[in-house]
Amino acid sequence: MTTVILMTTMTSVIVPVSGRYVVVVGFVGLGVMGRPMALNLVEAGAELVVWNRSSAAAEELGRAGARVAADVAEVFAAADVVLLMLASEDVLDSVLGRHTSRFAALVADRTVVHMGTTSPEFSVRLSRDVARAGGRYAEAPVSGSRPVAEAGQLVVMLAGDETVRAAVSPVLQPLGRAVVETGGVGSALLTKLAVNLFLITQVTGLVEAFHFAAEQGLDLDTFRRVVEEGPMVSTVARAKLGKLLDGDFEVQAGAADVLMNAELIVAAGRRADVATPMADVCRDLFAEAVAAGWGDLDMAVVLEAVRERSRARRVGAATPG
C-alpha cells in the first residue's frame, strides 16, 4: 500500500493514500460547507472526531461513521490534526477559548487548521498564539460552494510553515480537486479574497445582466442559451442562471457570507491602498439584500437588491421635481 509520511515535531505519522488514515482528524463546524467536507473525509477513510454547536449535523456524521464528541475539548484530546470550519473570527475565538487558559490546554501538541474565511491579519495573530501555546498552525480556506464541496471538488489553499504544510496537505486531499500551497500564514486567505473578488463581481454582473434582460422584455431562456453558448459560460454561470430562471434561492453560497467576504476584500484593499471599485459596489448591493432579510439565501438573491434599485429609480422618476 502506498503511504505518505507526515513529519511533525512529535512523531512521524503514516497516512495511507488509499485505505484508512492512521492519524486521527478532528473537525469542528458542520455548517453549509463543513458538513459535506467532513462527510468526504469519512468516505475517504479518515478516523474522524466531530463537534458542532447544533447537534443535527453531528448526528448525521455519527451515522456516517464519525465519532461525535461531547465538546471541543474532546475533539482536541482525541485528534492529532483539528480542522476548523467556523463562521467568523468571534466564533473561532469563542470555540477555542482564546485569551483564556483553556486555549493552551486545547492546542498544545496539536496541529490546528483554520479553514474558514477571516481577515489574513486575524489568522497571523492566531498562528502566533497557537505557536506560543506549543501547537502547530496552518490556514486552509477553500474555493467552491456547497455542491462543489459535496462533490469533493473544492480548491484548497494551504498556507503555513513548510513542514506543517507537508503534514497537513495529505489530510486535506479528499476535500477537493487540488490543494494549492501559497506560502506563509496569511497568503492563503489573501488568495481566497482575490479569488472571491472575481467570483462576487462575476455573479453580481450576471444577476444585473439577467435583470436587464428581464426588464427589457427579452425571452430569458434565449438569454440563457446565448450565455451558455458564448465565451462567458462557466460552471458558476450555469448554476446561477438556473437559479435565477427558477426563482430558486436555496443556499449554495449564502448572501450574508458573501457580504462578509466583500467586506473583508474592501478592508484588505483599504489597508494596502488598493482600489476595489467593483467590490465596493457589490458590497453595497449585498448589504442591501441582507438588510432586507435575504441573508440566509443563496447569493443569487442579490437580484432582489437590483430590483429594488430599479423600483426606487422609477418612483424617483415619477415624483414631481
Side-chain angles (χ1 to χ4, degrees):
M1 176 177 62
T2 304
T3 59
V4 176
I5 308 297
L6 300 189
M7 302 300 297
T8 73
T9 56
M10 294 172 60
T11 185
S12 297
V13 183
I14 300 177
V15 180
V17 172
S18 60
R20 292 196 64 79
Y21 288 70
V22 172
V23 65
V24 178
V25 180
F27 203 108
V28 176
L30 303 172
V32 170
M33 296 293 289
R35 173 189 154 275
M37 291 164 64
L39 286 169
N40 283 333
L41 287 169
V42 172
E43 180 67 23
E47 185 177 347
L48 197 67
V49 184
V50 303
W51 180 81
N52 196 53
R53 285 180 295 174
S54 59
S55 61
E59 290 168 358
E60 179 184 7
L61 264 295
R63 292 190 295 272
R67 170 180 160 189
V68 178
D71 53 29
V72 171
E74 185 178 338
V75 175
F76 277 87
D80 305 290
V81 177
V82 180
L83 311 182
L84 305 173
M85 193 62 177
L86 295 168
S88 68
E89 297 174 5
D90 289 343
V91 172
L92 264 164
D93 283 348
S94 175
V95 167
L96 292 176
R98 197 157 164 229
H99 310 305
T100 73
S101 59
R102 186 166 64 91
F103 177 78
L106 288 179
V107 306
D109 295 325
R110 298 293 180 266
T111 299
V112 178
V113 184
H114 166 32
M115 301 195 73
T117 303
T118 63
S119 72
E121 292 78 11
F122 173 88
S123 184
V124 170
R125 293 192 298 270
L126 179 57
S127 73
R128 291 171 181 163
D129 288 350
V130 170
R132 279 193 288 266
R136 297 166 296 281
Y137 181 87
E139 66 185 30
V142 300
S143 179
S145 59
R146 176 177 55 82
V148 179
E150 290 171 344
Q153 292 295 303
L154 296 167
V155 176
V156 183
M157 293 150 278
L158 176 60
D161 181 81
E162 186 176 354
T163 57
V164 178
R165 297 199 310 264
V168 168
S169 181
V171 176
L172 302 176
Q173 294 292 337
L175 300 179
R177 61 193 305 169
V179 177
V180 180
E181 297 188 20
T182 62
V185 171
S187 64
L189 279 162
L190 275 173
T191 304
K192 167 74 182 280
L193 295 182
V195 169
N196 276 4
L197 194 161
F198 179 40
L199 170 68
I200 293 167
T201 56
Q202 178 190 34
V203 171
T204 306
L206 176 64
V207 167
E208 185 174 333
F210 177 88
H211 175 70
F212 179 86
E215 292 298 300
Q216 297 289 347
L218 299 179
D219 181 87
L220 295 177
D221 281 320
T222 301
F223 169 76
R224 171 166 64 177
R225 182 182 174 192
V226 172
V227 171
E228 292 185 345
E229 294 291 344
M232 301 303 295
V233 70
S234 66
T235 302
V236 171
R238 288 183 189 276
K240 299 311 178 189
L241 272 172
K243 282 187 164 293
L244 291 166
L245 280 164
D246 295 340
D248 166 27
F249 299 126
E250 181 183 358
V251 68
Q252 294 177 343
D257 290 335
V258 172
L259 173 59
M260 178 197 66
N261 275 265
E263 290 173 337
L264 288 171
I265 291 163
V266 170
R270 298 291 185 274
R271 284 191 295 270
D273 292 326
V274 174
T276 56
M278 295 178 70
D280 293 355
V281 172
C282 293
R283 175 203 56 192
D284 293 346
L285 281 167
F286 277 95
E288 291 163 23
V290 171
W294 302 103
D296 291 335
L297 299 180
D298 187 75
M299 67 184 298
V301 82
V302 76
L303 174 65
E304 297 300 331
V306 178
R307 284 172 171 165
E308 184 55 39
R309 288 199 183 189
S310 288
R311 285 191 286 267
R313 186 180 186 88
R314 291 182 187 121
V315 169
T319 302

PDB file of all heavy atoms in Angstrom, residues 212-219:
ATOM      1  N   PHE A 212     -31.518  43.071 -16.382  1.00  0.00           N
ATOM      2  CA  PHE A 212     -31.618  43.946 -17.553  1.00  0.00           C
ATOM      3  C   PHE A 212     -32.411  43.263 -18.662  1.00  0.00           C
ATOM      4  O   PHE A 212     -33.314  43.867 -19.264  1.00  0.00           O
ATOM      5  CB  PHE A 212     -30.204  44.294 -18.029  1.00  0.00           C
ATOM      6  CG  PHE A 212     -30.155  45.168 -19.244  1.00  0.00           C
ATOM      7  CD1 PHE A 212     -30.214  46.548 -19.144  1.00  0.00           C
ATOM      8  CD2 PHE A 212     -30.034  44.606 -20.509  1.00  0.00           C
ATOM      9  CE1 PHE A 212     -30.165  47.357 -20.275  1.00  0.00           C
ATOM     10  CE2 PHE A 212     -29.986  45.403 -21.650  1.00  0.00           C
ATOM     11  CZ  PHE A 212     -30.059  46.782 -21.527  1.00  0.00           C
ATOM     12  N   ALA A 213     -32.089  41.990 -18.926  1.00  0.00           N
ATOM     13  CA  ALA A 213     -32.791  41.250 -19.977  1.00  0.00           C
ATOM     14  C   ALA A 213     -34.271  41.110 -19.646  1.00  0.00           C
ATOM     15  O   ALA A 213     -35.141  41.290 -20.515  1.00  0.00           O
ATOM     16  CB  ALA A 213     -32.157  39.879 -20.169  1.00  0.00           C
ATOM     17  N   ALA A 214     -34.570  40.794 -18.380  1.00  0.00           N
ATOM     18  CA  ALA A 214     -35.966  40.620 -17.976  1.00  0.00           C
ATOM     19  C   ALA A 214     -36.743  41.921 -18.104  1.00  0.00           C
ATOM     20  O   ALA A 214     -37.882  41.950 -18.613  1.00  0.00           O
ATOM     21  CB  ALA A 214     -36.020  40.114 -16.531  1.00  0.00           C
ATOM     22  N   GLU A 215     -36.153  43.016 -17.662  1.00  0.00           N
ATOM     23  CA  GLU A 215     -36.839  44.308 -17.696  1.00  0.00           C
ATOM     24  C   GLU A 215     -37.006  44.838 -19.123  1.00  0.00           C
ATOM     25  O   GLU A 215     -37.902  45.634 -19.390  1.00  0.00           O
ATOM     26  CB  GLU A 215     -36.077  45.325 -16.843  1.00  0.00           C
ATOM     27  CG  GLU A 215     -36.101  45.024 -15.357  1.00  0.00           C
ATOM     28  CD  GLU A 215     -37.512  45.045 -14.791  1.00  0.00           C
ATOM     29  OE1 GLU A 215     -38.173  46.099 -14.883  1.00  0.00           O
ATOM     30  OE2 GLU A 215     -37.960  44.001 -14.279  1.00  0.00           O
ATOM     31  N   GLN A 216     -36.149  44.369 -20.019  1.00  0.00           N
ATOM     32  CA  GLN A 216     -36.284  44.764 -21.431  1.00  0.00           C
ATOM     33  C   GLN A 216     -37.259  43.865 -22.182  1.00  0.00           C
ATOM     34  O   GLN A 216     -37.487  44.056 -23.379  1.00  0.00           O
ATOM     35  CB  GLN A 216     -34.909  44.723 -22.114  1.00  0.00           C
ATOM     36  CG  GLN A 216     -33.885  45.690 -21.547  1.00  0.00           C
ATOM     37  CD  GLN A 216     -34.193  47.136 -21.870  1.00  0.00           C
ATOM     38  OE1 GLN A 216     -35.035  47.435 -22.716  1.00  0.00           O
ATOM     39  NE2 GLN A 216     -33.523  48.060 -21.196  1.00  0.00           N
ATOM     40  N   GLY A 217     -37.852  42.893 -21.485  1.00  0.00           N
ATOM     41  CA  GLY A 217     -38.849  42.024 -22.094  1.00  0.00           C
ATOM     42  C   GLY A 217     -38.272  40.925 -22.960  1.00  0.00           C
ATOM     43  O   GLY A 217     -38.994  40.330 -23.778  1.00  0.00           O
ATOM     44  N   LEU A 218     -36.990  40.597 -22.789  1.00  0.00           N
ATOM     45  CA  LEU A 218     -36.379  39.531 -23.589  1.00  0.00           C
ATOM     46  C   LEU A 218     -36.817  38.161 -23.094  1.00  0.00           C
ATOM     47  O   LEU A 218     -37.194  37.991 -21.927  1.00  0.00           O
ATOM     48  CB  LEU A 218     -34.852  39.641 -23.526  1.00  0.00           C
ATOM     49  CG  LEU A 218     -34.238  40.929 -24.064  1.00  0.00           C
ATOM     50  CD1 LEU A 218     -32.729  40.887 -23.902  1.00  0.00           C
ATOM     51  CD2 LEU A 218     -34.625  41.139 -25.524  1.00  0.00           C
ATOM     52  N   ASP A 219     -36.766  37.176 -23.986  1.00  0.00           N
ATOM     53  CA  ASP A 219     -37.023  35.797 -23.597  1.00  0.00           C
ATOM     54  C   ASP A 219     -35.818  35.299 -22.803  1.00  0.00           C
ATOM     55  O   ASP A 219     -34.688  35.267 -23.311  1.00  0.00           O
ATOM     56  CB  ASP A 219     -37.233  34.921 -24.836  1.00  0.00           C
ATOM     57  CG  ASP A 219     -37.521  33.486 -24.449  1.00  0.00           C
ATOM     58  OD1 ASP A 219     -38.699  33.164 -24.216  1.00  0.00           O
ATOM     59  OD2 ASP A 219     -36.546  32.690 -24.367  1.00  0.00           O
TER      60      ASP A 219
END
